[in-house]
Amino acid sequence: MNIETLIAQEESKVLEFKENTDSKERLLASIIALANTSGGKIIIGVQDKTKHIIGVQNPYVQEERLAFLICDSISPFLLPTIEILPWRNVHILILDVPLSSLRPHYLL
């Protein structure tokens, strides 16, 4: 699925938009909710209300930091697929969180 198709969709129980990773608690809560219910995607670098793509700074650093944050903060172990997608002159992160067979997950 390409970024235009994802952005055209409305937020739902399987799709969320986040501007950035600043609110780590809210991001972790969203990841846990997806893993515990039906799985889904979190798109980082997109304004929530307007769906304007703003991208993320240092996408490779953000990807690594996010992977460590999830590893260190969620139990049992959960690591969604994190993909960096270029779009025009910015990059966005797409977290694909599967429905987990190890649920329930929780914050440590």
Side-chain angles (χ1 to χ4, degrees):
M1 185 176 296
N2 66 28
I3 188 62
E4 287 87 6
T5 305
L6 283 172
I7 300 299
Q9 297 178 33
E10 295 299 320
E11 280 192 314
S12 66
K13 69 177 192 171
V14 296
L15 179 64
E16 289 196 29
F17 301 113
K18 305 279 185 193
E19 285 188 42
N20 52 51
T21 59
D22 291 347
S23 178
K24 294 178 183 8
E25 294 80 19
R26 292 182 70 187
L27 181 59
L28 288 168
S30 294
I31 292 168
I32 289 170
L34 289 172
N36 284 340
T37 56
S38 57
K41 295 184 185 308
I42 299 174
I43 315 298
I44 302 173
V46 177
Q47 290 178 332
D48 192 19
K49 302 289 185 223
T50 65
K51 297 190 201 175
H52 177 73
I53 299 174
I54 56 175
V56 295
Q57 297 292 321
N58 304 312
Y60 296 100
V61 172
Q62 291 285 342
E63 175 192 33
E64 183 176 2
R65 194 175 297 155
L66 191 52
F68 283 122
L69 176 68
I70 293 166
C71 243
D72 293 342
S73 304
I74 297 176
S75 187
F77 180 77
L78 173 71
L79 188 58
T81 303
I82 304 172
E83 184 179 3
I84 299 172
L85 282 181
W87 193 79
R88 296 187 182 167
N89 60 346
V90 297
H91 290 87
I92 61 169
L93 298 177
I94 298 181
L95 279 75
D96 191 357
V97 182
L99 171 61
S100 177
S101 61
L102 300 175
R103 62 189 183 274
H105 292 275
Y106 54 89
L107 282 175
L108 293 174

